Amino acid sequence: MCSRIEQCADEILDVIPLIMRSIRAKLRSQHSCGLSVPQLRALSFAERNRDAALADLSGHLGLMPPAASNLVNGLVISGLIKRTPNSSDRRRIRMSLTSTGRKELKHARQIAQKCLLEKLAALTPAECEQVSTVMQKLRVLF
Amino acid sequence: MCSRIEQCADEILDVIPLIMRSIRAKLRSQHSCGLSVPQLRALSFAERNRDAALADLSGHLGLMPPAASNLVNGLVISGLIKRTPNSSDRRRIRMSLTSTGRKELKHARQIAQKCLLEKLAALTPAECEQVSTVMQKLRVLF
DNA sequence: TATTGTTATACTCTATAACTATA
DNA sequence: TATAGTTATAGAGTATAACAATA
């Protein structure tokens, strides 16, 4: 019997969707920014990984290729991402942010951050540090 | 300048979707269990709150009433929830789990928990405790 | 033939707006 | 008139399966 770890699992199952919802709602409520969480993450990835291929994004986001393709397609249509064939292997694509994309990404990040900061402001610096530590550990696990 | 708290926000924005995806994928991959995360949460809520009204669920999940209504409707169609009008105020509904619903809930919970346990197994008891503490704090904030 | 990505199809999740039934 | 819930509509997120283009 290992109740601590099971309790921990239950708590994660309870709390994670709550936080997701909060972030999503905030992104949507700011009408100047129409980005969803996956879109925000895709832009973030494209910014950090110059001329990334679709498979890279797909792997990073944990999506099946068609889902990633749709996601990118939406961003291309919105003018936030440029998608060009890779000249050395024309099966691959290369994604890069447009200048609008960069602006929108920055804006969306600020909104998401603001939402989180409002909540986290209630924490003491030590608690905040603890949250940070835990997030880093969880990132490694997932 | 408050970089610790901002870093913390960034980490949350990065890690929370990862965990969500992991749970979702696990629930979907087990073909014996067709529940989504919101469905699992709705069943959980209905189990804990006998004869709950739609507005209660809606509030708990942070959904608009139509979204909650659809969610419940799907569960009723799947035979997991019973939805009856409240006799004292016929505008309200009363939701309760069917016996199938109880079984499915238990099963889905086990699957989700198993997914998390596999990951959390890499943590020491102290780390696990720390994760637990942080989740409890975040639950209060969100 | 194997790989990269897209299209086709089908769900669920979620919102807003308009509606129905009851109080 | 106000409240509880549903229906209508729409768009995003996600999957699997089938396909096209390139290597």
Side-chain angles (χ1 to χ4, degrees), chain B residues 8-22:
Chain B
C8 190
D10 278 341
E11 283 160 357
I12 289 176
L13 196 56
D14 216 49
V15 173
I16 265 53
L18 265 187
I19 303 179
M20 270 300 283
R21 229 168 270 278
S22 179

Side-chain angles (χ1 to χ4, degrees), chain A:
Chain A
M1 235 289 275
C2 179
S3 79
R4 160 54 78 204
I5 198 174
E6 281 172 10
Q7 184 191 332
C8 190
D10 278 342
E11 282 160 358
I12 288 176
L13 196 57
D14 215 50
V15 173
I16 266 54
L18 264 187
I19 302 179
M20 271 300 283
R21 227 169 271 277
S22 180
I23 298 169
R24 210 186 301 134
K26 194 69 176 193
L27 280 177
R28 195 158 26 212
S29 72
Q30 306 290 330
H31 288 292
S32 46
C33 157
L35 292 182
S36 66
V37 173
Q39 285 173 332
L40 171 52
R41 301 223 309 143
L43 287 179
S44 248
F45 179 82
E47 186 193 44
R48 284 196 304 267
N49 302 272
R50 277 304 198 160
D51 295 318
L54 187 68
D56 303 326
L57 177 66
S58 168
H60 176 75
L61 296 184
L63 295 174
M64 292 295 110
S69 182
N70 283 340
L71 186 54
V72 168
N73 206 42
L75 293 170
V76 169
I77 289 170
S78 309
L80 306 179
I81 271 191
K82 199 174 57 157
R83 173 179 46 184
T84 52
N86 183 324
S87 46
S88 73
D89 180 346
R90 313 220 7 260
R91 290 173 306 183
R92 288 165 177 266
I93 61 168
R94 298 165 69 158
M95 293 179 293
S96 58
L97 291 185
T98 63
S99 61
T100 313
R102 245 180 297 277
K103 264 179 278 175
E104 281 296 308
L105 172 58
K106 194 172 168 190
H107 184 204
R109 247 190 207 138
Q110 279 170 355
I111 289 168
Q113 232 193 28
K114 184 159 165 272
C115 158
L116 290 170
L117 290 183
E118 279 165 10
K119 312 278 190 180
L120 297 176
L123 298 177
T124 65
E127 285 173 328
C128 193
E129 176 108 19
Q130 201 182 19
V131 171
S132 191
T133 304
V134 164
M135 287 300 146
Q136 283 166 29
K137 283 177 184 162
L138 292 178
R139 189 209 313 264
V140 174
L141 298 184
F142 287 89

